[in-house]
């Protein structure tokens, strides 16, 4: 596995995906991101590592365009601009990220075997929480019953 850190583009597969995006026309880039996310979100299949790595990278690009997101900074991410991504990709990215960390995901199994596994899971959760923020616990009742 050509992985050097926990970031979305810190592996050979994601870096290659970024290169493919850079080589594609502006019009093709959104459909490439959508295709990667759909493949990973499909619950019917066991999610293999390369599909998961591309999905995390694609989700990071969706997060980067979210108002609460951060740029997908990486020396290995796309260097060419992306089109404005449609907001429906946010839901698809959440579904893909959920599959990346579930029990039918090869990459989750691999990360669970290494020291940085918890940090990797935190990074996936951070991406997911931008797209689908958790509901904070309610401190006090709004009204009496």
């Amino acid at each position: 596995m050509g992985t050097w850190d926990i970031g979305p583009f810190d592996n050979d597969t994601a870096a290659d995906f970024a290169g493919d995006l850079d080589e594609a026309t502006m019009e093709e880039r959104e459909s490439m991101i959508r295709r990667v996310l759909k493949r990973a979100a499909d619950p019917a299949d066991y999610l293999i590592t390369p599909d998961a790595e591309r999905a995390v990278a694609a989700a990071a690009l969706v997060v980067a365009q979210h108002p609460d997101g951060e740029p997908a900074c990486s020396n290995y991410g796309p260097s060419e601009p992306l089109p404005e991504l449609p907001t429906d990709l946010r839901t698809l990215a959440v579904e893909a990220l959920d599959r990346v960390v579930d029990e039918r995901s090869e990459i989750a199994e691999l990360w669970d075997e290494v020291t940085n596994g918890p940090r990797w899971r935190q990074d996936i959760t951070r991406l997911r929480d931008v797209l689908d923020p958790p509901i904070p616990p309610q401190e006090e009742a709004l009204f009496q019953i």
Side-chain angles (χ1 to χ4, degrees), residues 4 31 50-51 79 99 119 121 130 132:
W4 50 88
S31 65
D51 289 341
S79 55
R99 286 275 293 127
R119 280 187 54 229
R121 283 187 178 271
V130 169
D132 187 26

Side-chain angles (χ1 to χ4, degrees), residues 30-45:
E30 184 250 318
S31 65
M32 291 172 68
I33 291 168
R34 182 179 300 279
R35 192 169 38 253
V36 162
L37 293 172
K38 274 187 175 181
R39 183 175 180 115
D42 183 358
D45 295 326

Side-chain angles (χ1 to χ4, degrees), residues 7-8 32 39-40 72 88-89 94 123 133:
M32 291 172 68
R39 183 175 180 115
D88 72 300
L89 284 181
V94 167
D123 202 51

Side-chain angles (χ1 to χ4, degrees), residues 97-118:
L97 291 172
D98 286 346
R99 286 275 293 127
V100 164
V101 296
D102 83 12
E103 68 273 354
R104 296 191 58 227
S105 169
E106 181 182 33
I107 197 170
E109 292 173 15
L110 293 171
W111 277 106
D112 286 346
E113 296 173 359
V114 297
T115 306
N116 281 341

